[in-house]
Amino acid sequence: AQKYAAIWTPEGSPLAVWTARQAKLLLGYLGQAGHAVLVRHAMRYGQPSIAEALDALRADGATRVLVLPLYPQYSTTTTASIADVLARDTSGLSVRMIDDYSTDPRWLVAVADSIRVWREKNGSGEHLLFSFHGLPQRIADGGDPYPQRCAASVQAITAALGLAPADWTLTF
């Protein structure tokens, strides 16, 4: 609790604050690109909930919804749980969900570029550590593709950065 309190912001939970900011920035970007879209953010566990966001979209007249989980790597423990919520009530909406973008070229370029920018400002350090959330080994052993999807992301990012295997480590 002490460590979590140390990262809490005056606006609230960092996860909620940054997710809301991303949604606002995306709306601004799409609006500047001439697209007539609505953008809502939601939390799988928390507020605003996915059901609340869907209700708000319906109330605003939306009929088609694209759901982009902020988990690039598919897992039954994260992405699939969002699909479960969507399966409960999408009445009146045509819903499509992007369930994995762990090797999407545009995402990979964005991640690699963010690493390059950080290294230009701060130096490259001795070693680059890629750390992902872990999941119980029994889930991975049961066929969840998350570890392989994380590894595929890291392989592509390190290739884009021109790093040798000895220059980086993947961990969970």
Side-chain angles (χ1 to χ4, degrees), residues 13-149:
S13 159
L15 181 60
V17 169
W18 286 103
T19 301
R21 287 180 186 169
Q22 284 180 318
K24 185 176 180 179
L25 289 168
L26 180 59
L27 178 61
Y29 171 78
L30 292 173
Q32 290 174 357
H35 299 284
V37 298
L38 301 169
V39 175
R40 297 285 185 276
H41 71 283
M43 302 294 212
R44 174 58 185 97
Y45 303 101
Q47 301 300 319
S49 70
I50 295 170
E52 291 168 337
L54 292 173
D55 288 343
L57 289 165
R58 279 188 202 93
D60 288 339
T63 57
R64 294 184 310 144
V65 177
L66 175 63
V67 177
L68 177 66
L70 296 182
Y71 317 113
Q73 297 82 16
Y74 176 86
S75 174
T76 58
T77 62
T78 54
T79 315
S81 74
I82 293 171
D84 292 344
V85 172
L86 294 173
R88 288 185 207 133
D89 182 22
T90 56
S91 60
L93 298 171
S94 171
V95 178
R96 183 172 74 102
M97 183 173 84
I98 297 172
D99 62 7
D100 185 286
Y101 51 100
S102 59
T103 56
D104 179 274
R106 294 160 294 192
W107 180 77
L108 295 168
V109 165
V111 173
D113 285 350
S114 72
I115 293 169
R116 280 188 196 99
V117 167
W118 194 92
R119 287 176 149 199
E120 286 171 10
K121 289 181 183 177
N122 301 288
S124 63
E126 293 177 27
H127 199 78
L128 183 58
L129 179 67
F130 291 88
S131 178
F132 291 84
H133 286 281
L135 63 139
Q137 188 63 50
R138 66 178 169 74
I139 293 174
D141 291 345
D144 190 299
Y146 178 72
Q148 293 83 8
R149 302 311 304 149

Side-chain angles (χ1 to χ4, degrees), residues 145-160:
Y146 178 72
Q148 293 83 8
R149 302 311 304 149
C150 293
S153 294
V154 171
Q155 288 291 335
I157 293 164
T158 57

